[in-house]
Amino acid sequence: FANGRGLVSLTAIHLKQFTAFDDLHVDFSPGINVLVGRNGTGKTHLMKVAYAACAITTPPHPAFPDKLLRDFTPAKRALHNLVKRQGGKAVAHVQVWRDQLDVFVNFGNDAGLHADEGDWAVSTDGWKEWQSKPINSAYIPVNDMLANAPGFRSLYARRELHFEEIYDDLLVRAYLPPLRESAETDSIALLEKHMGGTVVVRGEEFYLRQREGELQFSLVAEGIRKLGLLWLLLRNGTLEPGSVLFWDEPETYLNPELYGVAIGILLALQRSGVQIFLATHGYVALKELDLRGEREDKITYHALYRDEDTNEIACTSQDSYLDIHPNAIGDTFTDLYDREITRSLDGMGK
């Protein structure tokens, strides 16, 4: 399907015997997709697969299996180590859809797969047509990369480093020069206000330029660096209409007073035609999204959890925060509130 401006978005994903997943299908919103769930329920893995499907459509156009390897960095760089083992033959299936196109890859130790690679085999289809229609995308990981940027890209290109390729991809996008004109002027101005300045690049090093002077990013607070990265991606057109943004735990390092700023910008991007995927553990971030969202906004909450009967990861999807089930984040904060009220009432009784 297309979003409100006729821009094609990712529509669904199917993961079978892949990493932690036994058999999972999730349909996506063309707007904001919020992934919630306890640790170990696969939120980051799901986003990485979807990102890999986007990334193979832009230069250098890697094959889908190769991009999965680079973004997951399994042991020995072996694709078969991403298979969820269940005894006997094990074959993983990874499939992503958008509009009328899909791309999939199967890999494992099944002899029926046609391209043998040592002790495993791989079969992939749909990727040539998929790659013919580029999807601009960016993946923001939990850990900051801009402060450690100088020299990283050249080192990564020549050495075998145990870094997921999402970090190198992000630097490629962060180093892009700004557009002459940006459509997101309001969001850019808001970020500049809360950063107290703008971001400049000298060589491979990032600086925060304020009235008092320039401060190298290694000396800038991590939360401000995160806002600075978002500023760069807005300024250089990475987050243009029709693009896809993946952000893992956007609340990390941000003071809670800045959650509303970040969420407000994400809502504005969604309204302009950017599809967004967020994985979060933050109650305040969730509530900011719930309270700031408007009726026409397209927001879907995907709750990942382990089924009590099978112990396998399952997912429920809802368009309302109040309908999220199970909601480990909300339940935890409700429990904290109840305990605080109980303590207050006990104190009044003394």
Side-chain angles (χ1 to χ4, degrees):
F1 53 78
N3 59 26
R5 298 184 58 172
L7 302 168
V8 175
S9 308
L10 299 182
T11 57
I13 193 170
H14 185 198
L15 303 172
K16 188 171 183 179
Q17 288 187 252
F18 178 80
T19 64
F21 303 103
D22 178 58
D23 194 348
L24 183 78
H25 182 97
V26 182
D27 292 314
F28 297 140
S29 163
I32 298 179
N33 294 272
V34 187
L35 306 177
V36 298
R38 302 180 189 277
N39 293 119
T41 52
K43 300 182 296 298
T44 297
H45 284 197
L46 190 152
M47 288 207 305
K48 281 185 178 180
V49 171
Y51 168 71
C54 294
I56 65 173
T57 69
T58 55
H61 298 291
F64 196 21
D66 292 338
K67 187 57 178 168
L68 291 174
L69 271 178
R70 297 172 188 176
D71 288 344
F72 280 89
T73 62
K76 301 179 181 179
R77 299 280 178 167
L79 197 59
H80 65 79
N81 284 325
L82 295 176
V83 178
K84 185 177 188 292
R85 304 292 177 173
Q86 293 183 324
K89 291 183 179 180
V91 177
H93 173 78
V94 176
Q95 190 168 11
V96 183
W97 287 267
R98 58 169 167 144
D99 194 29
Q100 302 300 315
L101 299 178
D102 71 290
V103 61
F104 74 80
V105 57
N106 298 320
F107 53 88
N109 61 1
D110 188 338
L113 301 178
H114 55 70
D116 290 330
E117 299 279 353
D119 64 340
W120 55 277
V122 59
S123 174
T124 184
D125 198 12
W127 63 274
K128 288 187 177 180
E129 186 177 5
W130 180 276
Q131 287 181 324
S132 69
K133 298 181 179 180
I135 309 172
N136 204 16
S137 63
Y139 189 111
I140 302 179
V142 176
N143 297 316
D144 170 69
M145 196 63 212
L146 299 191
N148 305 303
F152 177 84
R153 294 210 62 230
S154 58
L155 185 65
Y156 187 84
R158 299 189 61 185
R159 303 290 180 179
E160 190 68 34
L161 301 179
H162 199 71
F163 273 86
E164 299 150 356
E165 196 171 59
I166 56 173
Y167 293 101
D168 189 62
D169 290 350
L170 186 59
L171 286 179
V172 171
R173 289 152 178 76
Y175 283 133
L176 289 173
L179 297 175
R180 293 185 184 276
E181 295 183 6
S182 173
E184 300 296 334
T185 53
D186 291 343
S187 295
I188 289 171
L190 184 62
L191 286 169
E192 291 175 358
K193 173 184 175 182
H194 288 278
M195 291 190 300
T198 60
V199 180
V200 295
V201 184
R202 300 192 186 285
E204 293 187 340
E205 188 143 8
F206 297 91
Y207 292 84
L208 178 63
R209 176 184 287 168
Q210 299 175 308
R211 289 183 180 180
E212 300 80 9
E214 294 181 357
L215 192 63
Q216 64 192 68
F217 255 43
S218 60
L219 301 178
V220 175
E222 291 191 73
I224 300 301
R225 295 204 298 262
K226 186 162 281 191
L227 295 183
L229 172 59
L230 190 57
W231 183 89
L232 286 166
L233 298 178
L234 290 172
R235 285 263 293 164
N236 64 30
T238 296
L239 302 181
E240 61 185 357
S243 64
V244 185
L245 171 64
F246 302 86
W247 198 346
D248 202 348
E249 298 184 27
E251 71 277 4
T252 304
Y253 304 126
L254 284 181
N255 187 288
E257 70 178 1
L258 293 176
Y259 289 4
V261 175
I263 294 300
I265 290 172
L266 294 178
L267 284 166
L269 285 173
Q270 172 260 158
R271 291 165 192 154
S272 73
V274 177
Q275 187 179 27
I276 297 171
F277 291 79
L278 304 176
T280 181
H281 292 288
Y283 174 77
V284 177
L286 276 176
K287 287 305 296 180
E288 285 284 3
L289 185 59
D290 176 41
L291 295 173
R292 290 173 180 265
E294 300 176 1
R295 187 179 298 274
E296 65 271 18
D297 290 327
K298 297 177 175 63
I299 305 170
T300 300
Y301 301 89
H302 307 283
L304 294 160
Y305 65 98
R306 287 198 176 274
D307 184 273
E308 292 183 0
D309 296 327
T310 65
N311 199 39
E312 300 294 348
I313 295 174
C315 180
T316 62
S317 300
Q318 305 291 342
D319 294 333
S320 168
Y321 169 81
L322 295 176
D323 293 330
I324 298 175
H325 180 76
N327 188 351
I329 298 173
D331 292 345
T332 298
F333 278 82
T334 298
D335 178 65
L336 285 173
Y337 179 75
D338 290 343
R339 286 157 55 195
E340 183 177 24
I341 294 297
T342 300
R343 185 177 67 176
S344 299
L345 292 175
D346 288 345
M348 293 175 61
K350 292 181 180 179

